Amino acid sequence: MTNLTGRGAIVTGGFSGMGFAIATALAKAGANVAVGSYVAPPQPGRADAAYYPGADEIERVKSALATHGTKVHAAHLDVRDSALTNLFFAEAQAAIGQADILVNAAGTTAEQPVCGHSDELWDKIVDTNLTGAFRATRAVLPGMINRGWGRIVNVGSTAASVGWKDNPAYCASKAGLLGLTRCVALEGAAHGVTCVMISPTWVETELMRRNVAQVVEREGKGRSAEELMDEFRKGNPQGRMMQPEEIAALAVFLCTDLAKGITMENIQITGGALW
């Protein structure tokens, strides 16, 4: 049911968290996988909560994905730069073959109120989460349409439909990503190309841990980051945190022929939580 042998998949933000889990699941399903993330040295004092892997992570990711026996490519990717995005996609397809599948998982956030967002921070979050997904989609959609088959999965969030205090840029970018998802789905529908957004609640990733650390730093109240994470777990009706592998399992299914009728949707994975 989840055999993707011979398909080529590109995952942005694929070095960690949900992106890496999805890339791993796609490789297990037989797909050739290319992953890109923003590779950078440590950046102390930066305002956003994203995890930026170092250059040494490239080989670790390649090795981990290669254990599943498919073609693998991993490299630096800056989805905020059109030229670098196009270069990455060209090199990725040269390494693994045509892009039949695109997963837009690159993302970042910051714990700041509206009045605390500088232009630079606002632009960074929106450009990564929303415009970056547009750039990646633009790079592969024409080929998918010409071949009559394609799957695009955007990693969204419940933030697309429910506000969250002190996360205006993140919420705005994910709401915009849902709009982009619907437009891409309509553009591809007549050509065998689907586009779906997966919107989870809190997922236990490095990005989440860094975001929670920012919440604790801003709000204080004597709580540790782990205590706040435990509050989120207890606040979920299932009494737990969603795991990256759960999002990956759905993403793989959406890339199969069984899911060809599922497009233009925003599928939430929440354990019953409202956010």
Side-chain angles (χ1 to χ4, degrees):
M1 292 177 63
T2 56
N3 185 355
L4 296 174
T5 299
R7 295 294 186 189
I10 298 179
V11 182
T12 72
F15 279 31
S16 63
M18 288 181 277
F20 181 70
I22 293 170
T24 301
L26 288 168
K28 286 181 178 179
N32 301 314
V33 180
V35 293
S37 281
Y38 192 96
V39 175
Q43 303 174 44
R46 70 173 189 270
D48 67 320
Y51 168 69
Y52 294 102
D56 58 323
E57 291 286 281
I58 294 176
E59 289 305 319
R60 178 193 65 80
V61 170
K62 279 184 179 179
S63 297
L65 294 175
T67 60
H68 304 293
T70 63
K71 295 178 183 177
V72 172
H73 176 73
H76 169 72
L77 168 61
D78 184 358
V79 295
R80 295 174 296 157
D81 185 304
S82 290
L84 291 178
T85 298
N86 292 337
L87 176 62
F88 171 85
F89 275 79
E91 292 176 344
Q93 292 183 87
I96 69 161
Q98 64 193 27
D100 303 303
I101 295 165
L102 170 65
V103 178
N104 286 307
T108 189
T109 188
E111 189 69 17
Q112 288 288 346
V114 169
C115 297
H117 270 71
S118 63
D119 285 356
E120 181 182 13
L121 181 59
W122 177 276
D123 291 345
K124 184 176 188 178
I125 294 170
V126 174
D127 204 15
T128 301
N129 299 358
L130 174 56
T131 313
F134 157 74
R135 292 187 181 101
T137 300
R138 184 177 60 185
V140 300
L141 184 58
M144 291 178 176
I145 289 175
N146 288 339
R147 293 188 297 272
W149 198 98
R151 298 288 184 269
I152 299 173
V153 177
N154 293 325
V155 178
S157 167
T158 47
S161 52
V162 181
W164 183 259
K165 181 175 70 72
D166 293 341
N167 280 272
Y170 184 76
C171 292
S173 68
K174 294 302 184 180
L177 185 59
L178 179 54
L180 176 64
T181 298
R182 289 168 172 160
C183 291
V184 173
L186 289 172
E187 189 169 339
H191 308 283
V193 180
T194 68
C195 186
V196 180
M197 188 160 95
I198 301 176
S199 289
T201 182
W202 290 105
V203 179
E204 196 165 2
T205 64
E206 182 63 24
L207 175 62
M208 182 199 170
R209 285 186 284 271
R210 289 170 180 263
N211 190 199
V212 167
Q214 285 192 337
V215 174
V216 169
E217 184 179 351
R218 277 183 52 79
E219 296 184 359
K221 299 181 181 179
R223 296 176 298 181
S224 68
E226 186 52 44
E227 286 172 335
L228 183 54
M229 287 187 69
D230 195 49
E231 285 185 25
F232 289 140
R233 292 186 188 98
K234 292 176 180 177
N236 188 291
Q238 292 187 342
R240 66 184 187 91
M241 198 80 72
M242 302 300 109
Q243 297 300 309
E245 292 74 20
E246 297 176 74
I247 285 71
L250 176 57
V252 170
F253 173 73
L254 291 171
C255 293
T256 67
D257 285 330
L258 289 174
K260 62 186 176 182
I262 305 175
T263 193
M264 205 175 167
E265 296 294 337
N266 179 32
I267 304 175
Q268 298 192 61
I269 302 179
T270 67
L274 295 178
W275 201 98

